[in-house]
Amino acid sequence: MSYQKRTAALASVAALAGSAVFMAAPAARADVVDVNYKCQTPIGVKTAVSPIDIKGVKSGSGYKLTMSWQKGVSSSPVELGKGAMSPSATIKLGGADSGTVSVSGPANAAAIPANTPIKINDLTGTYTPKASGKVTFTAAILTIKALGTTTTCTPTNSPGPSLTLDVTAAGGSSGSSGSTGSDTGTGTDSSGTLPKTGPDDSVIALGTLGGTVLLAGAAGTLWLTRRNQTARARR
């Protein structure tokens, strides 16, 4: 094989390795999930079904979560004036992490007529990973406070996650919720083992591979060129 063809082949491998960097980038998965709520109200039990969407946006060392309701839940036998209703909720964590995240939002901006499904405004909160890996976010308890009363709505259909994120805890630690890592400066954690790398490390590793192959191609070209020059000089 001529050195021109060999160089072209090495360049193709480098291009493929470079494209793998983009293919390996992790993506969040979000789904709109129907949640069957059973609401304990001051006047008895009410039920409602609402599709719920949860979004997560990277913010500093954590994520800003936004929980949205596409339909109203519960209702009031009397009109709720502007600012009379205050909602909050919890989001259940699963997968690599556990526990709950609290989200809250503004009071109603307009009056809510009597016996009308209460539309919940978007609720927001901050999630800071305590473990690395894929974490799921599922709608949990909704709390509505209005006119000195509290209504608690609990999912009854074991809804699936509305959001899945591939996260990395501060310091790159991994394991169960609440675990902490120790940076000894030698590339090992307190247990003496190499730390587990997250998806960003995989991307960096693939990028390094692409650069290594590209350098190898350039080195091969120089070596072949010098060999040809030496061969011509000996003739």
Side-chain angles (χ1 to χ4, degrees), residues 169-192:
S173 62
S174 61
S176 61
S177 173
S179 62
T180 57
S182 173
D183 185 3
T184 62
T186 59
T188 61
D189 60 19
S190 58
S191 64

Side-chain angles (χ1 to χ4, degrees), residues 31-35 37 50-54 67-70 139 162:
D31 297 300
V32 177
V33 177
D34 285 341
V35 179
Y37 278 113
S50 178
I52 289 182
D53 175 38
I54 300 175
M67 189 177 188
S68 305
W69 278 259
Q70 296 188 4
S162 295

Side-chain angles (χ1 to χ4, degrees), residues 184-230:
T184 62
T186 59
T188 61
D189 60 19
S190 58
S191 64
T193 59
L194 288 174
K196 295 181 180 178
T197 57
D200 293 339
D201 301 306
S202 299
V203 172
I204 294 172
L206 284 171
T208 303
L209 172 62
T212 301
V213 173
L214 187 60
L215 288 174
T221 302
L222 290 173
W223 182 79
L224 289 170
T225 301
R226 290 175 179 174
R227 188 183 68 173
N228 289 339
Q229 291 174 347
T230 302

Side-chain angles (χ1 to χ4, degrees), residues 117-173:
I118 297 174
K119 177 66 172 68
I120 306 298
N121 293 323
D122 287 355
L123 306 183
T124 60
T126 300
Y127 164 65
T128 301
K130 299 183 293 295
S132 301
K134 291 188 182 298
V135 177
T136 60
F137 300 80
T138 304
I141 296 174
L142 167 66
T143 302
I144 301 172
K145 293 185 177 182
L147 304 179
T149 66
T150 299
T151 294
T152 302
C153 299
T154 304
T156 60
N157 62 327
S158 299
S162 295
L163 175 67
T164 301
L165 292 176
D166 200 341
V167 305
T168 301
S173 62

Side-chain angles (χ1 to χ4, degrees), residues 48-147:
V49 178
S50 178
I52 289 182
D53 175 38
I54 300 175
K55 291 183 173 64
V57 178
K58 194 77 172 70
S59 177
S61 60
Y63 293 82
K64 179 183 178 182
L65 301 180
T66 301
M67 189 177 188
S68 305
W69 278 259
Q70 296 188 4
K71 290 184 179 180
V73 297
S74 191
S75 62
S76 171
V78 297
E79 179 178 284
L80 298 178
K82 178 181 177 181
M85 185 271 294
S86 178
S88 61
T90 57
I91 298 173
K92 182 180 178 181
L93 304 177
D97 209 346
S98 62
T100 59
V101 177
S102 297
V103 291
S104 59
N108 55 308
I112 302 173
N115 301 311
T116 300
I118 297 174
K119 177 66 172 68
I120 306 298
N121 293 323
D122 287 355
L123 306 183
T124 60
T126 300
Y127 164 65
T128 301
K130 299 183 293 295
S132 301
K134 291 188 182 298
V135 177
T136 60
F137 300 80
T138 304
I141 296 174
L142 167 66
T143 302
I144 301 172
K145 293 185 177 182
L147 304 179

